[in-house]
Amino acid sequence: MKHLREDSVVPYLDSRLDPAARARLEHHLKSCADCRAHLAELRAVLDELNAWPAPEPSPGFTAAVRARVEAAAAEPAPRGSWGWVYAGATVLVAAVLLMVVLWQPTPPLAPTPPSAESPETLAEEAGEELATLEPVLLENYDLLRDFDVLFETPTRENRN
Amino acid sequence: MAAESDEQQMLRLKAGDREAYTALVEKYRRPLVHFLYRMVHDTAVAEELAQEVFLRVYRARSRYKPSAKFSTWLFRIATNLALNSLRDGRLRQVVEMPAGAKLPLRTAETESKGKAGEAADPRPTVEQELMEAERLRAIREAIEELPEKQRLAVLLHKYEELDYAAIADILGCSESALKSLLFRAYEALRLRLRPFATRGGTA
């Protein structure tokens, strides 16, 4: 289809081409049987693709997701707006206690500030990051496990 | 009371309201399973991946900003998971018919077109069933044979009906490039599926 712009064809078939471009395209179609035929074939292909069905989610899908979310909620707080505040605070407390007990200078964990990136790059990074996301664990969590304060995370507060 | 937007529900989830998440899961589970199925060609894997998408959204909730469209974010995660799953090579390309899926039976239509005046038998003949299965296989294979980006573009455009901006965002290209990409993809499918288009389909 040499006569039509490549980036106009699909929007035209979707009825999403801007009025001016659409008028030009339809004007061309009036005198070009080849393009008319070609467009008709593309329409037919788009229609043809409807023949491929896909399965429905199983009846237990939502319940399964909820179970996984609840399990995740029971894990230590993830890095994030409230999570890092609590995590940072508990680590500082634990670090001070460790220093007292062990007399070794343990640098406190520097809390990661919330991201200040634009939504677009944020979403992009989230996408890339999430591709291999592992649950984020606090550094030295094993050492801190015995301190009760760690088990009080924002996600465990009484919310409906 | 007006229904809450996806973005509002995500904000509630961010604030700790896990009940709010159920509505989002119910809304998007079907399109996600459909998209993932057409990527990985396996019902069980598609469902597993879809659940994983929702879990990852939950885990990343603190990073969600309401200016970003939720569905775009969701499908980007789904795309990444599907591509990782395929690249891992854990899946054989199983030719599988999804349970409960009905082949589109155009028999009654075909019959009534060919034999005006006679009562049409709605049941498909064996020959027609075989043709339908062959047509379905051709569609599936034709899409699978597309280059990765074209394949994603087709699935997100044709079946999930995302808008151009969203798909371009997910694929990391301009809208204009995305429109050209879609054109090339549908052109390839047109040539590949030509034998089927002329055989018993609607004109």
Side-chain angles (χ1 to χ4, degrees):
Chain A
M1 196 179 302
K2 293 164 274 192
H3 309 148
L4 302 177
R5 286 177 53 131
E6 264 197 1
D7 61 357
S8 291
V9 175
V10 173
Y12 176 69
L13 294 173
D14 284 345
S15 303
R16 291 209 174 157
L17 200 56
D18 66 88
R22 186 178 137 202
R24 286 195 300 273
L25 195 153
E26 287 180 340
H27 180 76
H28 172 77
L29 288 180
K30 281 183 189 156
S31 54
C32 185
D34 281 347
C35 284
R36 280 201 306 272
H38 200 149
L39 275 181
E41 283 188 33
L42 281 174
R43 270 203 191 89
V45 156
L46 282 169
D47 187 56
E48 188 75 8
L49 295 180
N50 292 333
W52 188 14
E56 298 307 306
S58 71
F61 184 91
T62 304
V65 169
R66 291 193 59 147
R68 291 171 83 158
V69 165
E70 292 303 318
E75 288 173 11
R79 180 170 64 97
S81 51
W82 278 112
W84 72 260
V85 171
Y86 279 84
T90 53
V91 168
L92 276 172
V93 166
V96 165
L97 289 170
L98 274 173
M99 280 168 69
V100 166
V101 169
L102 300 173
W103 267 127
Q104 282 178 4
T106 308
L109 240 180
T112 311
S115 178
E117 294 159 340
S118 71
E120 295 78 31
T121 52
L122 189 76
E124 191 183 339
E125 281 174 24
E128 287 176 314
E129 214 173 319
L130 285 165
T132 51
L133 185 67
E134 296 296 328
V136 176
L137 298 177
L138 300 176
E139 217 172 52
N140 299 322
Y141 177 67
D142 285 338
L143 285 175
L144 311 175
R145 201 193 336 233
D146 297 328
F147 294 98
D148 288 337
V149 67
L150 283 171
F151 294 99
E152 290 166 32
T153 64
T155 51
R156 283 212 167 191
E157 286 173 11
N158 249 346
R159 305 203 189 256
N160 25 336
Chain B
M1 195 154 106
E4 278 190 331
S5 69
D6 295 347
E7 290 69 33
Q8 286 169 321
Q9 288 181 37
M10 270 308 294
L11 289 177
R12 289 222 272 148
L13 180 67
K14 259 178 99 159
D17 185 353
R18 294 198 289 283
E19 285 298 322
Y21 200 37
T22 302
L24 281 173
V25 173
E26 306 249 286
K27 180 175 175 182
Y28 285 104
R29 63 186 179 178
R30 195 167 178 264
L32 271 188
V33 168
H34 285 185
F35 168 67
L36 289 162
Y37 172 78
R38 292 190 173 106
M39 281 293 284
V40 302
H41 293 210
D42 183 300
T43 305
V45 173
E47 177 133 333
E48 168 61 31
L49 288 176
Q51 290 184 20
E52 183 66 25
V53 170
F54 283 117
L55 180 63
R56 293 194 177 205
V57 163
Y58 172 75
R59 286 193 192 281
R61 65 195 182 282
S62 58
R63 273 172 283 178
Y64 175 74
K65 296 248 168 92
S67 50
K69 205 170 168 198
F70 175 74
S71 59
T72 306
W73 188 42
L74 191 77
F75 275 99
R76 182 182 299 104
I77 298 170
T79 298
N80 288 339
L81 285 183
L83 291 177
N84 285 348
S85 182
L86 290 171
R87 284 168 189 163
D88 277 352
R90 282 197 289 257
L91 302 167
R92 291 173 295 117
Q93 294 300 329
V94 176
V95 174
E96 186 208 81
M97 288 305 299
K102 290 183 185 171
L103 289 176
L105 297 174
R106 301 145 69 102
T107 319
E109 188 182 310
T110 314
E111 290 280 351
S112 62
K113 272 187 176 173
K115 301 175 185 177
E118 287 185 17
D121 183 344
R123 292 169 302 163
T125 63
V126 170
E127 187 193 48
Q128 281 165 333
E129 279 195 353
L130 283 173
M131 276 174 58
E132 276 300 320
E134 183 59 30
R135 183 167 153 243
L136 188 58
R137 191 173 66 88
I139 292 170
R140 210 169 43 219
E141 285 181 359
I143 292 177
E144 199 186 324
E145 282 163 19
L146 291 173
E148 189 176 272
K149 248 182 166 177
Q150 285 185 21
R151 183 177 172 202
L152 282 165
V154 166
L155 295 189
L156 293 170
H157 172 254
K158 168 65 193 175
Y159 296 105
E160 302 317 315
E161 299 181 322
L162 297 189
D163 60 39
Y164 304 133
I167 303 173
D169 200 343
I170 292 168
L171 296 184
C173 62
S174 69
E175 272 193 47
S176 176
L178 185 265
K179 292 168 185 173
S180 296
L181 189 78
L182 280 170
F183 170 71
R184 291 196 296 277
Y186 289 126
E187 268 294 286
L189 293 176
R190 178 181 73 91
L191 296 171
R192 179 76 167 72
L193 297 173
R194 194 175 247 164
F196 296 91
T198 52
R199 196 197 301 171
T202 51

